[in-house]
Amino acid sequence: MKSILVTALLLAITLQVCNGEIFSALATLKKALYIEKNLANHLRSYVSLIADADRAKKVSELAMEYDRIADESLKDPETYLANPINAYMLCKRFTTELQAVQDLLGTPALQAAFEEQLSLYKHEMPTTEDFEGVIDAILRLQDTYEISSGQFVDGSFSKASNSPRMTASDCFEIGRYAYENGDKYHALMWLMESLASLELEGSKHSVDTILLHDYLIYAADDQGNPRHALNHAKALLQLSPTNQKTISRINNVINWLNKEILEDNEVLISQGQPIPSQFALPPVKNKRLMKRATTQEFKNYESLCRGEDVMPNPYKHTLTCYYSTVNNHPLLLLAPAKIEVLYKNPDLFLYHDVISDAEIEIVKGLSTPLVG
């Protein structure tokens, strides 16, 4: 499911696809939108049973939020889910956030009732594997289409559909996933984005600041930024002034970071370059370290995905579009085939409007129930 979901999201959001093209792997997520609507109703029914007024208010607000998202998304589920950030947030709500929702209910009786409801939808809910698949899709999109993490965060990467602004927690989960899978390039990028988003959130932090700085220490250092790593280590110490275990560990980290910085200074001196001031951090270095990304073939692949012309077409001025009845085939006499010549030697053709929107809807209706 994970690889299919990645492929579907990549195609759905990035390619200029025809109207009505279907990606059946998204059907599972479409079911989740209806489940979320049902969960909103269940949560609302619990509100009057919660004695704690503050807790009851939070559950009511959460039910309203689920309702709002479901109402918006179900107007056009395919367009909504074709946006990878919407798909990511949907999977996140069904994986990393559900336990917090259950805990919010307070009493064991209500928690058990909610868990029983969840069990009814278990086989149709997005899984951790789906969640990771969406993250993989986002990271591939980012590289292939040269989309910055900031564009994903504010939703400006897509003109086709809208997505809400990502929180520091949303960014952190992507950064943590990348880091734990050995992808330090994306890890540093998304963890830094999480820190920037955290500053905009004010006092209502959506992510553990200590944990965020902890990850940033190692991600920054792994990408050749010992001074930035040292800065995060010092910030972590300020956040944990009384935790002796943390203080001891971070002091050790600071010691080896200082050694790295001294070694880095020696290299800069030997190269006749100036040593960065201790009062001003140098620009963050974050090189994409993937061997295949440096090959010309891989660069051509990504360029083609972006619609760039990597190989001049010597026949471009002779290419045409035409109608054809294919030797007067009776089915094509009134509605001839629309053919576009893409290349000569070898001959490449693109057939337009082969299937109607009505026929596409029939295919979708037949295939959706067969999806897992």
Side-chain angles (χ1 to χ4, degrees), residues 103-158:
D103 293 342
L104 185 60
L105 295 174
T107 66
L110 290 180
Q111 290 173 347
F114 187 64
E115 188 171 354
E116 184 178 351
Q117 292 299 329
L118 290 178
S119 67
L120 300 176
Y121 308 119
K122 184 176 180 181
H123 298 295
E124 295 184 333
M125 287 164 50
T127 63
T128 299
E129 189 179 22
D130 296 324
F131 182 47
E132 293 174 352
V134 177
I135 295 177
D136 283 332
I138 290 171
L139 298 183
R140 291 187 197 179
L141 285 170
Q142 192 169 10
D143 291 341
T144 304
Y145 293 88
E146 298 180 341
I147 303 171
S148 71
S149 52
Q151 288 175 289
F152 277 117
V153 171
D154 63 21
S156 63
F157 73 98
S158 173

Side-chain angles (χ1 to χ4, degrees), residues 52-194:
D52 186 306
D54 184 54
R55 192 183 292 271
K57 181 182 178 183
K58 289 179 180 178
V59 172
S60 178
E61 290 173 348
L62 185 61
M64 290 174 62
E65 179 65 7
Y66 278 11
D67 253 339
R68 184 193 63 78
I69 294 170
D71 289 343
E72 178 187 343
S73 60
L74 290 173
K75 291 176 184 175
D76 186 354
E78 288 167 17
T79 299
Y80 180 84
L81 291 172
N83 185 311
I85 300 304
N86 289 334
Y88 166 78
M89 290 184 173
L90 177 64
C91 289
K92 184 169 179 272
R93 289 194 295 274
F94 274 95
T95 51
T96 66
E97 296 178 2
L98 264 187
Q99 185 58 54
V101 174
Q102 194 168 346
D103 293 342
L104 185 60
L105 295 174
T107 66
L110 290 180
Q111 290 173 347
F114 187 64
E115 188 171 354
E116 184 178 351
Q117 292 299 329
L118 290 178
S119 67
L120 300 176
Y121 308 119
K122 184 176 180 181
H123 298 295
E124 295 184 333
M125 287 164 50
T127 63
T128 299
E129 189 179 22
D130 296 324
F131 182 47
E132 293 174 352
V134 177
I135 295 177
D136 283 332
I138 290 171
L139 298 183
R140 291 187 197 179
L141 285 170
Q142 192 169 10
D143 291 341
T144 304
Y145 293 88
E146 298 180 341
I147 303 171
S148 71
S149 52
Q151 288 175 289
F152 277 117
V153 171
D154 63 21
S156 63
F157 73 98
S158 173
K159 295 179 181 178
S161 60
N162 298 323
S163 58
R165 183 176 181 84
M166 298 177 72
T167 65
S169 172
D170 296 327
C171 299
F172 176 74
E173 289 297 339
I174 295 177
R176 174 161 62 179
Y177 171 79
Y179 186 87
E180 292 179 354
N181 283 274
D183 182 358
K184 309 302 171 57
Y185 167 70
H186 287 112
L188 180 56
M189 188 185 305
W190 281 95
L191 292 170
M192 288 176 60
E193 201 66 58
S194 178

Side-chain angles (χ1 to χ4, degrees), residues 314-328:
Y315 308 102
K316 193 170 184 178
H317 64 289
T318 67
L319 303 181
T320 59
C321 296
Y322 62 93
Y323 292 103
S324 173
T325 60
V326 189
N327 296 323
N328 294 320

